[in-house]
Amino acid sequence: QEILHTKDRIMTFEKGMAKLQDLVSSLEKENISLEESIKSFEEGTKIAKYCERKLQAAEDRVKALLDRSDLQ
């Protein structure tokens, strides 16, 4: 199972999505340096990929459960 660690915490899908929302809001509203913008963008892409993989794994599990229930 893939886990993304951030500052001594394990990131869940929900925490990842909330962090992405925070990063987007920060990039849209705040006057931050180009370097900070790039760091935020880089962090956001890592979190987005992580969340995408977590969501795909959840979809695969649901599909497997539905396929098993079809057999019964």
Side-chain angles (χ1 to χ4, degrees), residues 2-4 6 10-21 23 43-59:
E2 180 187 11
I3 298 172
L4 185 65
T6 58
I10 296 172
M11 183 171 294
T12 62
F13 175 82
E14 293 78 11
K15 287 180 184 176
M17 293 302 291
K19 180 65 177 172
L20 282 174
Q21 290 174 343
L23 287 170
E43 181 182 6
T45 58
K46 288 177 185 177
I47 295 170
K49 288 178 184 178
Y50 173 77
C51 288
E52 185 178 339
R53 288 188 295 267
K54 294 291 278 184
L55 185 58
Q56 184 63 53
E59 289 174 357

Side-chain angles (χ1 to χ4, degrees), residues 59-70:
E59 289 174 357
D60 292 346
R61 285 178 61 194
V62 169
K63 185 178 182 321
L65 289 169
L66 290 174
D67 288 347
R68 265 193 266 162
S69 69
D70 286 345

Side-chain angles (χ1 to χ4, degrees), residues 18-48:
K19 180 65 177 172
L20 282 174
Q21 290 174 343
D22 291 345
L23 287 170
V24 169
S25 293
S26 175
L27 286 168
E28 289 178 341
K29 295 179 183 175
E30 295 181 19
N31 290 329
I32 57 177
S33 70
L34 178 60
E35 188 61 32
E36 285 298 314
S37 295
I38 292 170
K39 285 180 184 179
S40 292
F41 181 79
E42 183 178 20
E43 181 182 6
T45 58
K46 288 177 185 177
I47 295 170

